[in-house]
Amino acid sequence: MLKADIVSISEKNAELKKQVRELNEKLQLAEQGQDHAQKQVLLLGKQQKAGPFGTVKGLRTNPTVVPDESVNARLAKLLAEVAVHKELIVALANSNVKAMLEVWFTNIKKAGIRNYLVVALDDHIVDFCKSNDVPVYKRDPDSGIDSVARTGGNHAVSGLKFHILREFLQLGYSVLLSDIDIIYLQNPFDHLYRDSDVESMSDGHDNMTAYGFNDVFDEPAMGWARYAHTMRIWVYNSGFFYIRPTLPSIELLDRVAGRLSREPNSWDQAVFNEELFYPSHPGYDGLHAAKRTMDIFLFMNSKVLFKTVRKDPALKKLKPVIVHVNYHPDKLRRMQAVVEFYVNGKKDALDPFPDGSDW
């Protein structure tokens, strides 16, 4: 009976600590909202005069937050051992993706990358990572997250990352968030700019779709004003992005996590992009976060690879940093083929696959 009482008290204590932490976070956010403009001037330095024409550059890189190890002392200790220059790759995984996870970390090791961490969503993945000498972290129990973590599919698990990443940023670490269906061929930290809050790979398949273009809408009934110009860009991929520990970055995570909890049928990638790109308008305050699109031939999605690159003799000679098999459901087979082509030099390894999927 005493043991049962101790367990019950420990659980209540953990829940109370969680409530205190959440209340402190709300208090901090409330304080940040007061006199925001004045505080920003104090933070960024004195007001400046504008320079000559063509020389003025706006602020692109927001300052990082002050690290707060009280958020999670156990994680802080682990990150101090794993991270390099306060940066690391982070991936979430449960037992449903065990085979892909092995391909993922095997190629990370081959690429000579040391700063990576698997956030295990069940005990089987903890044991699997430890047996393969892979850095692993399992969060403290949380009933709201754990039920999804154990049994959730790709989209459900993907949505958890916005909850989990917050602590990494509060501890002062920049995170390269990675899905498991990714092959690493070079060290991505050698190819980042680090000038924005979020630096993300694109779902675009050429320069226009990835980096944006002027799309003209034609409405003949309008006569002289029939042509309306619109701006279009293919979405950022929420399965591979670099995020710095800044206030806009943390606000982004909070916004996305909040909407996913309120809108259970929404897709995390759609919400991620809406919060990043929608401007302020009546009834809505947009997010003021700096963003950068990654090079589509270095951080390559599988549509670019299978529809374009493999058919172009010049592009086939390029070695991407990563290949993300995000456009195709037969992920493991295509991941293995990417390894054969780029790592083992098998020139026809990509040939058997169709451009798209069979369904």
Side-chain angles (χ1 to χ4, degrees):
M1 289 175 65
L2 284 171
K3 286 183 178 179
D5 288 343
I6 290 170
V7 170
S8 176
I9 292 169
S10 297
E11 290 176 350
K12 288 179 181 178
N13 189 41
E15 182 61 29
L16 287 170
K17 284 183 178 178
K18 180 184 174 185
Q19 290 177 13
V20 169
R21 187 169 68 245
E22 289 174 349
L23 287 171
N24 282 331
E25 289 171 358
K26 289 179 180 178
L27 180 61
Q28 288 173 6
L29 285 173
E31 290 173 347
Q32 288 164 12
Q34 298 174 1
D35 302 321
H36 180 73
Q38 289 85 348
K39 288 181 178 179
Q40 196 170 37
V41 170
L42 290 172
L43 183 67
L44 302 178
K46 63 180 181 180
Q47 291 176 289
Q48 301 177 12
K49 293 181 179 179
F53 179 82
T55 67
V56 176
K57 299 290 183 183
L59 183 70
R60 288 165 174 75
T61 308
N62 284 308
T64 56
V65 298
V66 176
D68 181 6
E69 292 193 6
S70 68
V71 170
N72 188 329
R74 181 167 67 91
L75 179 59
K77 182 179 179 182
L78 177 60
L79 295 181
E81 298 170 358
V82 174
V84 175
H85 303 309
K86 303 283 283 188
E87 298 177 319
L88 74 162
I89 298 168
V90 175
L92 278 63
N94 62 16
S95 294
N96 293 336
V97 295
K98 183 178 176 181
M100 286 195 294
L101 177 62
E102 184 170 15
V103 178
W104 180 84
F105 66 64
T106 298
N107 285 278
I108 280 183
K109 291 179 179 181
K110 285 181 180 177
I113 302 166
R114 296 182 292 114
N115 49 331
Y116 66 101
L117 179 70
V118 174
V119 176
L121 301 177
D122 58 51
D123 292 331
H124 295 296
I125 292 297
V126 173
D127 296 337
F128 181 60
C129 287
K130 288 181 177 179
S131 67
N132 286 278
D133 196 26
V134 171
V136 63
Y137 166 72
K138 191 168 188 292
R139 303 177 70 258
D140 292 333
D142 185 319
S143 58
I145 290 177
D146 292 344
S147 59
V148 176
R150 285 192 299 270
T151 60
N154 283 349
H155 286 319
V157 170
S158 184
L160 294 178
K161 59 178 169 261
F162 299 99
H163 284 281
I164 294 171
L165 283 184
R166 194 185 206 277
E167 289 186 339
F168 288 77
L169 269 59
Q170 285 181 278
L171 292 170
Y173 288 85
S174 296
V175 173
L176 184 55
L177 188 282
S178 173
D179 277 353
I180 297 301
D181 55 344
I182 292 175
I183 298 296
Y184 287 77
L185 302 167
Q186 300 183 59
N187 190 328
F189 294 105
D190 294 337
H191 300 272
L192 297 174
Y193 286 81
R194 300 175 178 85
D195 63 349
S196 304
D197 298 301
V198 176
E199 199 167 336
S200 178
M201 76 170 294
S202 172
D203 271 1
H205 54 88
D206 56 23
N207 286 349
M208 286 178 59
T209 56
Y211 309 136
F213 65 101
N214 183 1
D215 187 27
V216 181
F217 176 77
D218 183 10
E219 189 177 2
M222 288 297 295
W224 175 82
R226 65 182 290 179
Y227 299 113
H229 291 257
T230 71
M231 301 306 297
R232 295 191 66 189
I233 186 171
W234 264 226
V235 294
Y236 282 178
N237 190 288
S238 63
F240 190 86
F241 61 87
Y242 177 80
I243 185 165
R244 296 176 60 248
T246 66
L247 290 177
S249 295
I250 294 172
E251 183 183 356
L252 170 65
L253 297 181
D254 289 350
R255 282 173 174 245
V256 176
R259 280 190 55 188
L260 291 175
S261 66
R262 296 190 303 272
E263 306 167 18
N265 295 323
S266 57
W267 180 28
D268 70 280
Q269 180 160 293
V271 174
F272 175 70
N273 278 272
E274 288 168 3
E275 294 299 336
L276 263 179
F277 285 95
Y278 280 179
S280 297
H281 54 262
Y284 176 79
D285 289 329
L287 178 71
H288 294 268
K291 48 196 173 288
R292 171 182 282 275
T293 308
M294 291 176 171
D295 187 314
I296 60 171
F297 293 108
L298 291 179
F299 299 91
M300 191 183 295
N301 65 56
S302 55
K303 182 174 181 178
V304 172
L305 175 61
F306 285 97
K307 190 176 179 183
T308 304
V309 170
R310 66 169 174 169
K311 301 174 185 178
D312 187 303
L315 292 176
K316 283 176 74 172
K317 295 177 182 178
L318 298 176
K319 185 179 181 181
V321 176
I322 61 108
V323 174
H324 188 178
V325 187
N326 60 314
Y327 268 101
H328 300 89
D330 50 339
K331 295 181 180 298
L332 183 57
R333 287 180 57 239
R334 292 195 188 233
M335 288 175 72
Q336 292 166 338
V338 169
V339 174
E340 287 296 315
F341 181 77
Y342 283 110
V343 179
N344 300 330
K346 188 178 179 183
K347 298 186 183 300
D348 61 350
L350 304 176
D351 296 348
F353 298 91
D355 288 357
S357 61
D358 294 328
W359 53 276

